[in-house]
Amino acid sequence: MQSVFSPRRARGLSLIEIMIALAIGSLLLVGLVQVFAASRAAYQTSEGMSRVQENGRFAMEFLQRDLRMAGHYGCVNDQAHMQSVDSLDNHFPVATGASWGVAFPNSNPAVGSPGGSIRGYEATNTEPGQTVTLGAATAGWTPALPPVIAALNPLPGSDIIEVRYLGEEGLPVINIANPSAAQTIFTVPAARWATFNADGVGAPTMFGIADCSFANVFPAAAVNPGAGTVLVNAFIDRYVAQPVGTALLHRAESFVYYVANGASGQPSLWRARADVAGTFPVGGREELVEGIESLQFLFGLDSVVDITVTPPSGFITQQSTGAGVVNNPMNWRRVGMVQVGILASSPDTAAAAAPQDAQRRRALGVVFAPPAVPDGRFRTTYETTVAMRNRLYGN
Amino acid sequence: MTRNFPFGSAPRNRQRGAVLFVALVMLIILALLGITGMQIAGMQERMSSNYRANGLAFQNAEGLARNAECVLEELTNRTGPTPGCDALSEPQIQRACETGFEPGGWAGSLNLTTRRAVTVREVTGCIAGNDDIAVGTAPINDNPNPVYEVTSYMTDDQTNPAAATAVDTIFRP
């Protein structure tokens, strides 16, 4: 019997057969590659879209949280404190460009304070209606950046905002002592000291004490977490310890939000925390969200124009960019609402075509033109309106 | 004749190939892929539900504070009961401000089983000050209405809570 697979019966393929097989095979292969390429592009686009969406959501979450707290000085906000001399005392040296991080408000006009609870820096050529070309934005901000903020290397074409407030959670002051005529020691429950270490602040140095009448913001000369004490080189005797009084000790916060290059080389949203010297040390700079290419802010101003004569009404009637507010520095005290716009781009290329002129992304009226060399990133904008919860006193 | 078994029961030494092995390995790879995918999806689900729970708890606490403010407004203006404004009744308002109440400690003493709590105290008595002897020259505030501190605590879900938020706010009717 002969086997079916006997070598004698193997004949091989002719050239024609091979050519036809190759032609059909390569045709199928090209089709397959096409299908794979299309599905890869679709995957990249949906991946880019979801990354952009989650980045935008996180950026908004951080910004909303801190903007809502701006102006929080305990029981009464900074606007109300500023109505009466000495209601809000600031024990920091008067802030200069080299110590701008500690530009907390001060209600004593004789001492004065150039800063405040909120302040924006409007990037040049980013007024509503203007166009910013990504990667080629005009440098400069209005007002000019203080040297300590310029040292953060913020990217042009993106607004910058600074906020100052007393931290969300205060600890009850259970003892107040004056060891000398120029010193005060506040004691809080040591078991709850961890409240002051929230958000990764290992060694808090800036504090504020407040009750429903007064507030004092000061640098700590020494802290002792084990005993729950904070030493201040100032004589502060106008508070009554709990439970008779209502004084709470808070950590004082001073932040700058800006856009700068992140670890990946892409623009990212950054937050810098000021230290007690008023600078923004490298250790206090955090890259919060990658792929945020631009921040835009509009400020809502109270209907009361001269807030030094008439208390604010809480009725927001005017909208302005940071550059518009700065025409009269007093206007920063009128801010009761902030509109935020962000431009988020995907961290990786997402097979997105450069948008046509009519379909360019816009945030708060600012138009973003694609980079000169298309980079295939997916981009979109998000906008939100934040009521400055603590300044809307009485509602 | 003993050598030719085209179909059916071939002797053991005639079996060759590794179809079963390859199929099993493929199956394991696919199962691993599936399990990884499931884990990723589960993690994403947990992350987003955590986000949702936090947001809900915050909005609920804000709503409860607003509800208490509605009650206070009614009491101050002596207007009729508004449907839904039921966060507290008048006897629950602490009329003395120097009670040692402190929002951080209060919220810290509660846990998820509390689900919903609100404290209202009148802080009018603690706001005295900031006046001078020339009373009447520049009234800072001639509003006779009291000022309240409203502190609310609420979870995201009343039956199966996962997150809680406390909101402390000053309210002037």
Side-chain angles (χ1 to χ4, degrees):
Chain A
M1 289 191 76
Q2 276 191 347
S3 169
V4 186
F5 300 108
S6 151
R8 278 197 291 151
R9 294 195 56 171
R11 291 283 156 85
L13 301 162
S14 73
L15 187 62
I16 306 281
E17 280 172 335
I18 288 226
M19 295 294 277
I20 291 172
L22 274 178
I24 294 175
S26 53
L27 201 74
L28 285 175
L29 214 64
V30 167
L32 210 65
V33 166
Q34 291 278 327
V35 169
F36 270 119
S39 101
R40 183 164 171 270
Y43 170 77
Q44 282 182 335
T45 307
S46 74
E47 168 87 6
M49 279 168 80
S50 52
R51 293 301 304 274
V52 159
Q53 207 179 69
E54 82 185 15
N55 285 350
R57 196 188 304 135
F58 273 111
M60 279 302 184
E61 174 84 7
F62 284 120
L63 283 163
Q64 281 178 336
R65 218 182 147 81
D66 281 348
L67 287 174
R68 232 186 259 134
M69 285 306 293
H72 171 246
Y73 288 89
C75 183
V76 179
N77 69 11
D78 63 329
Q79 275 181 339
H81 277 308
M82 297 297 269
Q83 300 300 317
S84 49
V85 176
D86 281 339
S87 174
L88 171 58
D89 275 355
N90 176 347
H91 297 276
F92 287 96
V94 174
T96 63
S99 65
W100 194 256
V102 293
F104 286 96
N106 186 355
S107 70
N108 189 342
V111 182
S113 170
S117 297
I118 188 161
R119 178 173 288 247
Y121 298 89
E122 173 75 11
T124 308
N125 288 340
T126 63
E127 302 270 332
Q130 289 183 315
T131 300
V132 177
T133 304
L134 296 172
T138 319
W141 284 267
T142 310
L145 296 183
V148 285
I149 297 183
L152 300 171
N153 294 323
L155 289 175
S158 169
D159 296 352
I160 294 170
I161 200 165
E162 56 184 51
V163 292
R164 295 189 186 82
Y165 56 90
L166 298 188
E168 289 94 335
E169 194 180 340
L171 293 184
V173 179
I174 51 176
N175 190 45
I176 299 170
N178 295 105
S180 78
Q183 285 185 314
T184 311
I185 294 177
F186 296 112
T187 310
V188 298
R192 287 172 60 193
W193 183 267
T195 301
F196 289 146
N197 296 123
D199 291 336
V201 180
T205 49
M206 302 193 288
F207 291 90
I209 182 172
D211 64 9
C212 283
S213 305
F214 305 110
N216 285 56
V217 192
F218 49 80
V223 296
N224 183 346
T229 56
V230 175
L231 172 72
V232 193
N233 285 333
F235 188 78
I236 303 170
D237 68 341
R238 59 185 185 180
Y239 298 96
V240 181
Q242 299 239 18
V244 177
T246 55
L248 292 177
L249 190 69
H250 302 259
R251 191 174 74 202
E253 313 273 30
S254 173
F255 290 124
V256 173
Y257 276 96
Y258 60 102
V259 168
N261 281 329
S264 67
Q266 271 285 106
S268 295
L269 176 67
W270 286 72
R271 178 174 75 173
R273 180 190 291 273
D275 65 4
V276 74
T279 61
F280 295 95
V282 175
R285 301 173 193 172
E286 295 168 281
E287 185 183 351
L288 295 181
V289 186
E290 67 176 335
I292 305 298
E293 291 192 322
S294 185
L295 291 175
Q296 298 298 327
F297 296 106
L298 287 177
F299 299 92
L301 303 182
D302 199 279
S303 63
V304 174
V305 176
D306 193 347
I307 212 161
T308 55
V309 178
T310 318
S313 65
F315 180 36
I316 309 294
T317 53
Q318 202 185 324
Q319 193 189 36
S320 179
T321 59
V325 178
V326 85
N327 293 334
N328 177 2
M330 191 61 68
N331 282 347
W332 289 114
R333 276 169 56 185
R334 290 170 60 200
V335 174
M337 182 268 282
V338 183
Q339 280 181 289
V340 185
I342 59 174
L343 174 71
S345 75
S346 61
D348 302 307
T349 177
Q356 300 296 306
D357 287 5
Q359 281 135 25
R360 286 175 174 172
R361 298 296 184 192
R362 299 154 190 267
L364 300 179
V366 181
V367 183
F368 295 101
V373 182
D375 57 4
R377 293 182 199 279
F378 179 79
R379 290 185 170 80
T380 194
T381 52
Y382 295 94
E383 292 180 3
T384 190
T385 301
V386 181
M388 289 174 62
R389 189 82 172 64
N390 288 286
R391 278 194 171 179
L392 301 174
Y393 181 69
N395 68 51
Chain B
M1 283 301 284
T2 52
R3 290 179 60 210
N4 203 358
F5 292 93
F7 302 106
S9 54
R12 197 162 283 268
N13 62 353
R14 297 268 325 227
Q15 287 189 350
R16 251 178 278 155
V19 174
L20 184 63
F21 277 119
V22 171
L24 281 176
V25 168
M26 285 292 171
L27 210 65
I28 289 172
I29 292 175
L30 284 178
L32 281 177
L33 274 177
I35 290 170
T36 316
M38 244 168 63
Q39 278 176 342
I40 291 174
M43 173 65 85
Q44 300 257 353
E45 175 73 25
R46 280 202 293 278
M47 276 159 61
S48 57
S49 63
N50 173 49
Y51 195 81
R52 177 178 174 275
N54 272 320
L56 265 179
F58 174 72
Q59 300 295 345
N60 281 345
E62 278 273 10
L64 185 59
R66 193 76 197 121
N67 192 322
E69 290 176 359
C70 172
V71 175
L72 294 173
E73 194 154 29
E74 276 176 15
L75 290 174
T76 308
N77 296 334
R78 284 166 241 165
T79 51
T82 311
C85 287
D86 54 2
L88 75 160
S89 59
E90 192 168 2
Q92 287 175 288
I93 299 171
Q94 301 175 18
R95 292 293 176 186
C97 79
E98 291 164 343
T99 55
F101 173 82
E102 172 262 314
W106 177 78
S109 72
L110 305 176
N111 59 42
L112 288 180
T113 54
T114 309
R115 297 203 163 97
R116 182 185 147 115
V118 65
T119 296
V120 173
R121 63 173 185 151
E122 196 182 322
V123 291
T124 321
C126 291
I127 303 186
N130 296 335
D131 215 338
D132 61 23
I133 201 157
V135 173
T137 51
I140 291 162
N141 170 30
D142 49 12
N143 187 342
N145 286 328
V147 180
Y148 296 98
E149 180 180 13
V150 179
T151 316
S152 67
Y153 175 95
M154 202 154 165
T155 54
D156 59 325
D157 189 282
Q158 291 302 293
T159 50
N160 204 1
T165 300
V167 169
D168 181 55
T169 180
I170 302 292
F171 178 64
R172 181 188 241 170

